[in-house]
Amino acid sequence: DQQVKQNSPSLSVQEGRISILNCDYTNSMFDYFLWYKKYPAEGPTFLISISSIKDKNEDGRFTVFLNKSAKHLSLHIVPSQPGDSAVYFCAASASGGGSQGNLIFGKGTKLSVKP
Amino acid sequence: AAGVIQSPRHLIKEKRETATLKCYPIPRHDTVYWYQQGPGQDPQFLISFYEKMQSDKGSIPDRFSAQQFSDYHSELNMSSLELGDSALYFCASRDRVNTEAFFGQGTRLTVV
């Protein structure tokens, strides 16, 4: 059973518009959420993260929103650029004590930004 | 800045052979994760190490084993390779203070 779900396998957006990528999770123990961007045949690149004590984190054109009650997070990219075209993975981890919880990934959403 | 280094980048092996993948984490990172990504699939967690001890285990086949050495580099050993083992294998490292994990470029393993 998928603990991290990205229900949209693909998204197409016009350059300059907002891209919104969604992610849902089922494990209430998750307390740290990350977004990774991935180009073909390359390793995932860390984009932005958010701790469960926050509901918003912003970094330049990228903003992540967390709704803990709905177990939902979203990544907003404003304005979208053609270079943003990639697969975006949502990931979550659960920390506790001295352990380092492993990252659980969603299946990814392929974003295409058209000029 | 130093990144996670994986070697080799590409590897071709025949069925039933063995393969060893290496991962060199970012300096001062003490946690290493291994992931497998098959064609068209999301990265699947295999195994992780914290301070040279196995910390968590995911969907790693019994034919695979891994360890983290005193210099914190890690090796994934794969034996009796099967065609289905063909995938991208990613290593990521993380330190105790920060919680972002940084990935290497991956090793593409092709079993023929």
Side-chain angles (χ1 to χ4, degrees):
Chain A
D1 187 34
Q2 280 260 298
Q3 296 185 69
V4 177
K5 300 177 186 178
Q6 293 178 257
N7 293 318
S8 298
S10 64
L11 175 68
S12 184
V13 170
Q14 204 68 32
E15 180 180 7
R17 299 288 183 93
I18 182 172
S19 295
I20 300 176
L21 296 98
N22 293 304
C23 178
D24 298 292
Y25 61 96
T26 58
N27 189 340
S28 57
M29 298 298 292
F30 288 146
D31 58 4
Y32 200 78
F33 305 89
L34 309 91
W35 284 95
Y36 284 86
K37 176 179 178 180
K38 187 180 183 301
Y39 294 112
E42 291 186 11
T45 303
F46 169 73
L47 204 54
I48 193 169
S49 62
I50 188 166
S51 163
S52 60
I53 62 173
K54 295 186 176 181
D55 53 20
K56 177 183 174 182
N57 189 24
E58 194 171 352
D59 183 3
R61 296 185 298 113
F62 302 92
T63 302
V64 56
F65 295 92
L66 175 63
N67 182 335
K68 288 189 290 294
S69 60
K71 293 192 176 68
H72 176 84
L73 63 154
S74 60
L75 174 68
H76 293 211
I77 306 174
V78 183
S80 302
Q81 299 173 354
D84 296 329
S85 298
V87 177
Y88 288 78
F89 287 96
C90 170
S93 69
S95 59
S99 66
Q100 294 278 295
N102 71 75
L103 295 174
I104 306 296
F105 282 85
K107 291 190 177 297
T109 297
K110 184 176 182 179
L111 174 66
S112 300
V113 180
K114 300 186 185 309
Chain B
V4 177
I5 306 297
Q6 288 186 249
S7 69
R9 290 294 310 276
H10 302 274
L11 190 59
I12 300 175
K13 290 285 186 178
E14 294 188 356
K15 279 170 44 178
R16 292 179 289 278
E17 283 192 317
T18 61
T20 297
L21 279 55
K22 296 184 179 182
C23 170
Y24 297 88
I26 292 172
R28 290 182 295 281
H29 281 195
D30 52 18
T31 303
V32 168
Y33 304 88
W34 284 98
Y35 287 84
Q36 176 193 59
Q37 186 177 24
Q41 297 179 9
D42 52 312
Q44 293 291 315
F45 170 70
L46 292 177
I47 195 167
S48 62
F49 293 88
Y50 169 62
E51 279 293 341
K52 292 155 279 185
M53 300 283 288
Q54 181 183 308
S55 58
D56 206 350
K57 199 170 182 181
S59 51
I60 184 169
D62 291 339
R63 299 177 289 107
F64 294 6
S65 65
Q67 61 182 116
Q68 187 178 31
F69 294 86
S70 57
D71 63 352
Y72 294 101
H73 95 271
S74 179
E75 295 184 4
L76 178 66
N77 299 295
M78 310 158 74
S79 62
S80 302
L81 286 169
E82 301 174 357
L83 295 177
D85 296 329
S86 296
L88 271 170
Y89 290 83
F90 292 106
C91 167
S93 74
R94 189 157 95 168
D95 70 23
R96 278 195 296 167
V97 176
N98 297 321
T99 45
E100 294 86 35
F102 296 90
F103 283 80
Q105 291 296 295
T107 294
R108 178 174 291 283
L109 171 66
T110 304
V111 182
V112 297

